[in-house]
Amino acid sequence: MKRKIELLAPGGDIDSIKAAIIAGANAIYCGLDKFNARNRAENITFEDLNGILRLAHRNDCEVFLTLNIIIVESEIPALIGLLNKLINTKIDGVIVQDWGMFYLLSKYFAGLKIHASTQLTTHNEGQIKFLSKLKANRVNLSRELSLNEIKALTLTAHENSVLTEVFVHGSYCISFSGLCYLSSAHGGNSGNRGRCSQPCRDPYLTTAEGKDFPLNLKDNSAYSDLRELSDAGVDSIKIEGRIKKFHYVYTVVNSWKKQLQSLYNQDKLNNDNSDLHKVFNRDFSNSFLRGDINKSMFIDNPRDNSAIHLAEMSGGSTNENLAKAKRELYDLKTEIITTVRNRIEQLSIAKAPLKITVSGESGTPLKVSVKTPDTSFVVLSDSNLANTGTYPASNTLAKKNKQSCAQGLNYEVLLKRLKALNDTEYFIKHIELENLQSDLFIPFKELTSIKKRILFILNGLKETVEAIDVPLLKKQSNLKIKPALSLLISSKKDLHLRHVIKSQRRTETEVDIYFQLPNSFKNECSELIDLFLKDKRLIPWFPSVLIGEDYRAALALLQQVQPKRIVTNNTGVAYEAYKKGISWIAGPYLNIVNSFSLLCLKENFNCYGAFISNEINKKQIKSIKKPENFKLYYSIYHPMALLTSRQCLFHQVTGCEKNKIDHTCIQQCEKSAPITNLKQVTLLIEKTKGNYHSIYNETNFLNTDIVTDVPNLFSSFFIDLRNIKTDTKIEMDKSKIVKLFENHLNGNPGSAEELTQSIHPSTNTQYIKGI
């Protein structure tokens, strides 16, 4: 086998990074103590980064930095400051989720390679094209995809000069990444901010199926699927685990490295995965990859399964065997820790010392000799050294241009002018001046030029980029926006609601009504096309997840209907709408929380408007600056979708007559069931025809305050009137509810109180807490 696949390892702390290097990783992904999606990991400081880069690169290992969270407006200046530092390091790529960060990187920091995070849940061809236009160098494909789906997407990626990476080992999430708000809604720990508290792995009251951990999946392991992943053209295989310790990282990376070498050297795979069972695991599954989404993917125990596995291999999980297995694993873990610790202690992330020798005499160029542990080189000034008397202090021009060193060249002057060398993988250990004649002068610009040339050589013949002063956005003044009301339905029975109200902003015209398209409508595509063709005022609302044939059905609808406008939560559909000249609005599940995200969508894809995320609070919303000729939307009432899953969520709850999902499940299944955790918080599992399984909050989101809290920002406030059953009760029919919301937008006294009395119980915790 000639083509080599990158082995990409997690580095949650310095020891884990070292462990990944000695285990043979080709690349490592790690995060700083800010702006990354593993807040619970120890992470690294920027001061450590250059030393880590030096260590990794000396061992033929690349380093990718995770900046994969959504960024609120107040953090933008700090982010720009960080990017200005990173651009002058040897970092090999940055992993990104936020659209505003895509905008900043592609427009101002083009020297940094962009990797699209798993948080973007990339699962169709259009999303890859969307990311390619934003200069993404690689994409992480959704964990829910099958090998055939991965192969098709990798082909599209390569046609668009994009690499693909796939998670092959570690935790599965029950939800599509980036679309889980469970931790955010219950505890204020947003997964889109790297703070997920994993409530999906919490114990729940025992279900009808006798399960205590009904949402807990086994771990992902594609150990036996490496050949198929290689045949699919995947460029990088990725191991999850930035909160795992170094002995875990070493064991897993080492096992995968041996598997790769077996494929390369012997064209066969090792069937023995026993080493993977010796460190933390929840047992393993490769069912998503195999396209076999079944009941066996669940395990009713979120804790370490390694002792149980070893006991079962020794005759059964009796108490005696379990106790013996735990002793063996403890001894083995101690041995691994000791062995790996001894090896990683030999590795240093210390910066390399620079010995600088400065020499010269009057009438000759200044000579700066630089010696590193690996090489040495000389840099000469362009002009000659001169006696200080040549440029007397009274020289007005010299004073004006600040070109003279009044005190002559000395240690302090040189150290001050060369201190930027300490911001690299090196540090100035010593400056030798023994052969420098005293009381000499050279213009400061010459010292600056020497510094830049030294940096160029030390940084791998890469020019130093001066700090980029990104212009911060300003609020538009004197805006007077009268917000309209818009609403979402999913049943033809609700089409009459458009006749209920007249928008005050658009006299005698009807409210915008969005019609929710399901995740899978390939079997009813013709019927839906007819619906939109017959009623051109009805606006299609596209879901977040559209895979394979369902994505192609969405494209067929766009092509045949040619709607005037759409709302989409899927960037693949957004890309096609942009290419076809169809006006589009970015939906609320694109997780937009800052002004640069709005600019990204407007300038790159001619986006008409966007929903602001419901995860952020009043202060965070008020800081957003609306681009000119751009509409902002906000949902003031909706059932709270906490997660969306490709797995069947009823297996462990009420049970299902089928052991796995087949082609009829998505199209035909329709059921619901509650689960309650030990804190007495109830979640509602909902499956409707044509849709994936979802979990909803037990009460709906209602925020009447924002209408007066944030005036003159939003063009439309949105209400979701789909027939999703939660514990929130509505004391009147939909027509009257719509009229109440319109009264509230018009400022009618008492309308907010009437809404909260008519829709109860409800919550607006996210609007209060933010992220």
Side-chain angles (χ1 to χ4, degrees), residues 359 365-368 378-383 442 446 449-450 453:
S359 60
L366 179 68
K367 180 180 179 181
V368 180
V378 173
V379 176
L380 299 175
S381 63
D382 291 328
S383 59
I442 198 167
E446 281 283 4
S449 174
I450 287 172
R453 280 182 278 166

Side-chain angles (χ1 to χ4, degrees), residues 725-741:
K725 294 180 180 179
T726 67
D727 288 352
T728 297
K729 307 299 180 187
I730 301 179
E731 301 296 340
M732 58 186 67
D733 64 30
K734 291 181 180 179
S735 298
K736 292 179 180 177
I737 285 294
V738 169
K739 288 181 178 178
L740 271 184
F741 274 107

Side-chain angles (χ1 to χ4, degrees), residues 557-559 561-566 574 576-585 605-608:
L557 188 145
L558 281 181
Q559 179 63 38
V561 175
Q562 291 291 314
K564 181 180 178 182
R565 184 168 299 128
I566 66 168
E576 291 299 326
Y578 158 70
K579 296 295 286 185
K580 295 179 185 299
I582 297 171
S583 177
W584 69 280
I585 298 168
F605 302 99
N606 198 29
C607 183
Y608 174 82

